[in-house]
Each structure stands twice: as structure tokens, then as C-alpha cells.
Amino acid sequence: MSQPFTAIATLIARPGQQDALEQHLRALIEPTRAEAGCGQYELHQDLANPLAFYMIEQWANDEALQAHDASTHIQHFRSQAEAFLEHFELKRLRVIA
């Protein structure tokens, strides 16, 4: 069983689609925060680049993140993302201190 970890999702909107991306990301917050194993799920937007969004996440373990990835709301987001999402990257971080 894995340890708790932080994840940072970087999401870059297609040009002109930042409002659509923000709307879709906002819709993920409430159901994700209600998931077992979710300790934090916060949306941020880059002040220097409004196309860039970051989701700061804390998960209890790998299984919690895998359940999140398989959730209905995430699957729905992915099914529509091509229209407004240009780039996605997920970094997993361990806490050192």
C-alpha cells in the first residue's frame, strides 16, 4: 500500500478556451473533495499565463488516486477535454519535510 502524496496537475487550455476549461475544472472540485482518500483538491490559475491551470491535490494513497481517475466525473471531463484542453501533465510528489 502506498503512502500519502501530493499531486500537481498542469492543464493548459487551447487558445481562447480558458473560460471553458475553468468551468469544467470547477465542476470537478465538489465531487472530488467528497471522494475517499482526497485530502486536498484546489484549482489555481497562473497569473502570468491565463491559459495555464494547476490542480493541487493530496491523496491518501495510490488506490485513492486510481479510484479518482476511474470516477464518473473524471471520465466525463476526459470525454469532452479535447475541445478545450491542449496539454495535461500530472506530477506526483512525496513530502520530505
Side-chain angles (χ1 to χ4, degrees):
M1 192 158 168
S2 68
Q3 307 249 343
F5 63 92
T6 300
I8 300 176
T10 301
L11 303 105
I12 309 296
R14 292 186 182 281
Q17 295 297 312
Q18 64 266 26
D19 291 342
L21 177 57
E22 180 179 346
Q23 179 182 4
H24 282 88
L25 292 173
R26 284 179 178 271
L28 298 175
I29 295 170
E30 186 176 333
T32 298
R33 287 180 178 168
E35 292 176 27
C38 178
Q40 178 183 5
Y41 198 76
E42 293 182 347
L43 179 60
H44 300 262
Q45 186 175 25
D46 191 323
L47 292 173
N49 177 6
L51 295 176
F53 294 85
Y54 303 91
M55 194 67 81
I56 311 300
E57 311 172 21
Q58 289 184 347
W59 295 99
N61 52 43
D62 289 330
E63 293 79 11
L65 180 58
Q66 289 169 3
H68 169 67
D69 287 343
S71 69
T72 303
H73 51 278
I74 290 298
Q75 293 303 312
H76 177 72
F77 174 82
R78 287 183 179 149
S79 73
Q80 299 190 10
E82 187 176 336
F84 50 80
L85 184 63
E86 184 170 291
H87 174 77
F88 172 81
E89 180 179 6
L90 183 71
K91 298 276 188 185
R92 294 167 40 110
L93 310 169
R94 70 180 172 96
V95 175
I96 295 174

